Amino acid sequence: MGRDRPTARHRLRAWLCLLLSALFLTLVPRAVVAQAVSSGSDGYRVQPGDTLGAIAERFGLSTRTLMVANGLRHPRDLRVGQVLTLGVGDGREGARTAVDWEVELLSLSRAAGVSVNRVAQANQLLRPTELPVGLALWLPDHVPAMMVPTAGDPLLQRAPRVAVAMRQGVRLWEVLALNPLPGTLGQPLLVPAWAGPSAGAGAEGARPRIVERVSVSAQPVARGDMAVVSVTTSEPVTCAFTYADMSELCRGTEGSATQWHALVAFSPMRTPGPVTVTLQLSPAEGEMVALPVVLHVTGGRFDYERLDLPSDRQALLDPALSQAETARIASLRPLRSATRHWTYPFRLPVESAVTSYFGSRRSYGYGFTGYHAGTDFDGEVGMPVMAPSGGVVVLAESLVVRGNAIMIDHGWGVVTGYWHLSAIDVAVGQHVEAGERIGAVGNTGLSTGAHLHWELWVNGVAVNVLSWLDPDGPAAVLGPMP
């Protein structure tokens, strides 16, 4: 049986229902905030027509922040005359305001052109939706940046990116580069991490005007690895840098006195955490300018190894036997040749598998008191060992612990070492090119079998040599050729 057709009475009833629904919706408070009445510096009294979203936008907050701060289960849980708390805390002195409590990482990552997951992983954020304003963020493939609020200032509301550049004492194009997309009202913006509240270029924390550009290789950097901080200046300078208890010279791009690179290396035993690298830029005239850049060092992952030496080599563990050898290596390890001989990336010195990785905590039977400063490669006695890149031989002799050993100075503070060789085919002072034979795999010195121990230092600090084989490693920003 077919359905009955709607009668005129049914149609009239439907129209009356629609009319009553529309009338009811017009009576529900839903207008945008008009003339708001504040109940104090930390509260707002709800007016007729207010919505939680409009209130949040007016004060530069998120809707969720207001809900959490006021115990609201739903955005519609508003009453006319209700006083909303604009602060998050227990009311004691120093309680943070709501704008300091939560920032949406999604809009910041979109503005900077980086995915939320990449930003969260790079900064090890467990709760990436609750970030305090002023937090320094590492943006992959970008300069380190921090967040600054934009609410509460008429100029910030009309032209937030221009106003933030003026307030923070940085160039407008730097703010535009980090925030290419227009933001919403009250949304914090990203500025370079060296910026600071400023009304002019000379304010403390503002980037010096002599600096045109600063970039940092991929962050964070694991201990036992290195980072490169590059700076371009508006006039010729000399450049040095300090971090922790080290002081080094920057390496300049050939033919330029305005482009400099700081090669910053971290020991695998270093305590993780932020490290401030201070670039010291000295122009021909005027005072030295200090530019601090904060690097984030993570723990990294290292193995634990126990080595059982043959009885005929146990005596090599005696520190008295290796004291002179240690001093000999220590005198060559921190070479700082100004000429760069190496190309990037490095080549493998032997075509064989890795048997022991860099940084492994090692024990020779009485506790893990040291670490493996190089990378071991499997091999047969007599297998040829090649130079991984260009350089000058600075050591080629037989040692007690390291056996037959070779060291190559590649320039710019980069030095490599090759231990336990069965043959040495180069001499001190000889210049070698990438792929040239320098020796052969062996089993000499403190060794448990035929292998090649390959080691690399940057400014005297042992780092993971395998990262120099990676075309996208930290040294890649220095370019492939000298």
Side-chain angles (χ1 to χ4, degrees):
M1 181 180 292
R3 296 182 180 179
D4 295 335
R5 293 184 178 181
T7 62
R9 182 184 301 176
H10 291 158
R11 288 195 295 269
L12 178 61
R13 183 179 299 173
W15 278 108
L16 286 175
C17 290
L18 290 174
L19 181 62
L20 289 175
S21 299
L23 180 62
F24 174 76
L25 291 175
T26 60
L27 296 178
V28 176
R30 55 181 295 274
V32 180
V33 175
Q35 296 180 351
V37 178
S38 176
S39 63
S41 59
D42 60 349
Y44 171 79
R45 190 178 299 277
V46 179
Q47 304 298 305
D50 280 351
T51 64
L52 193 65
I55 297 172
E57 183 177 5
R58 177 181 178 85
F59 290 97
L61 309 174
S62 68
T63 303
R64 182 173 177 271
T65 296
L66 285 180
M67 292 175 60
V68 172
N70 294 274
L72 302 178
R73 295 187 176 183
H74 196 278
R76 291 197 299 265
D77 295 343
L78 285 182
R79 304 185 309 276
V80 174
Q82 177 184 4
V83 177
L84 293 179
T85 299
L86 302 179
V88 176
D90 55 6
R92 295 177 298 182
E93 183 179 359
R96 295 175 295 174
T97 60
V99 75
D100 292 328
W101 181 72
E102 180 181 290
V103 173
E104 291 294 337
L105 183 63
L106 178 61
S107 57
L108 291 175
S109 64
R110 284 178 176 173
V114 185
S115 71
V116 175
N117 289 337
R118 290 194 67 193
V119 176
Q121 291 173 1
N123 295 271
Q124 297 185 336
L125 301 176
L126 297 179
R127 303 182 68 183
T129 59
E130 298 182 5
L131 306 175
V133 170
L135 173 70
L137 287 176
W138 290 110
L139 302 177
D141 305 323
H142 288 73
V143 220
M146 67 179 184
M147 296 176 287
V148 296
T150 61
D153 188 312
L155 179 59
L156 287 172
Q157 295 179 10
R158 293 196 301 270
R161 291 179 288 186
V162 175
V164 164
M166 295 173 56
R167 298 288 192 272
Q168 299 295 321
V170 296
R171 295 176 176 87
L172 174 59
W173 58 82
E174 295 173 339
V175 178
L176 294 177
L178 291 171
N179 305 274
L181 302 179
T184 58
L185 181 63
Q187 171 65 51
L189 295 177
L190 292 165
V191 299
W194 56 78
S198 168
E204 182 179 358
R207 195 182 78 171
R209 292 305 184 193
I210 194 176
V211 176
E212 291 289 343
R213 183 177 182 270
V214 176
S215 63
V216 184
S217 57
Q219 298 298 312
V221 54
R223 56 179 176 170
D225 218 323
M226 61 166 286
V228 178
V229 181
S230 302
V231 59
T232 302
T233 58
S234 58
E235 60 182 271
V237 299
T238 57
C239 177
F241 65 98
T242 60
Y243 68 103
D245 56 348
M246 299 187 64
S247 180
E248 300 289 342
L249 292 177
C250 302
R251 305 299 168 183
T253 302
E254 186 176 359
S256 174
T258 59
Q259 295 181 344
W260 299 92
H261 311 284
L263 280 64
V264 188
F266 300 101
S267 166
M269 304 301 287
R270 181 178 183 84
T271 302
V275 176
T276 299
V277 179
T278 302
L279 298 177
Q280 300 170 341
L281 309 173
S282 301
E285 298 181 0
E287 297 181 355
M288 184 270 292
V289 173
L291 176 64
V293 178
V294 179
L295 303 182
H296 186 63
V297 180
T298 59
R301 300 179 63 182
F302 302 107
D303 296 331
Y304 286 84
E305 298 177 343
R306 178 187 173 94
L307 276 72
D308 297 318
L309 294 175
S311 57
D312 61 336
R313 302 195 182 187
Q314 290 284 343
L316 297 179
L317 295 174
D318 185 357
L321 294 177
S322 60
Q323 186 173 1
E325 177 179 324
T326 301
R328 175 90 168 115
I329 299 300
S331 67
L332 297 173
R333 190 174 56 197
L335 286 173
R336 309 288 197 276
S337 302
T339 302
R340 173 183 167 181
H341 302 289
W342 50 273
T343 57
Y344 190 86
F346 277 22
R347 300 183 183 182
L348 277 170
V350 290
E351 294 289 344
S352 58
V354 173
T355 57
S356 178
Y357 286 93
F358 169 82
S360 300
R361 280 36 176 170
R362 280 193 162 180
S363 169
Y364 289 94
Y366 48 88
F368 295 91
T369 56
Y371 70 93
H372 191 210
T375 300
D376 288 347
F377 293 83
D378 193 15
E380 300 292 337
V381 173
M383 180 184 294
V385 176
M386 308 299 184
S389 194
V392 178
V393 178
V394 293
L395 182 140
E397 61 187 72
S398 179
L399 302 175
V400 176
V401 176
R402 293 163 179 82
N404 294 326
I406 295 173
M407 292 179 67
I408 299 176
D409 175 17
H410 300 277
W412 279 22
V414 180
V415 179
T416 55
Y418 313 81
W419 314 149
H420 312 301
L421 302 172
S422 61
I424 298 175
D425 299 328
V426 291
V428 172
Q430 179 180 338
H431 182 87
V432 295
E433 297 291 346
E436 183 177 344
R437 175 172 174 143
I438 60 174
V441 172
N443 185 28
T444 57
L446 187 61
S447 172
T448 58
H451 73 285
L452 171 69
H453 173 106
W454 184 27
E455 198 161 337
L456 184 145
W457 302 273
V458 175
N459 293 329
V461 179
V463 299
N464 183 11
V465 70
L466 294 182
S467 67
W468 283 69
L469 302 174
D470 184 1
D472 298 321
V477 298
L478 300 173
M481 299 294 295

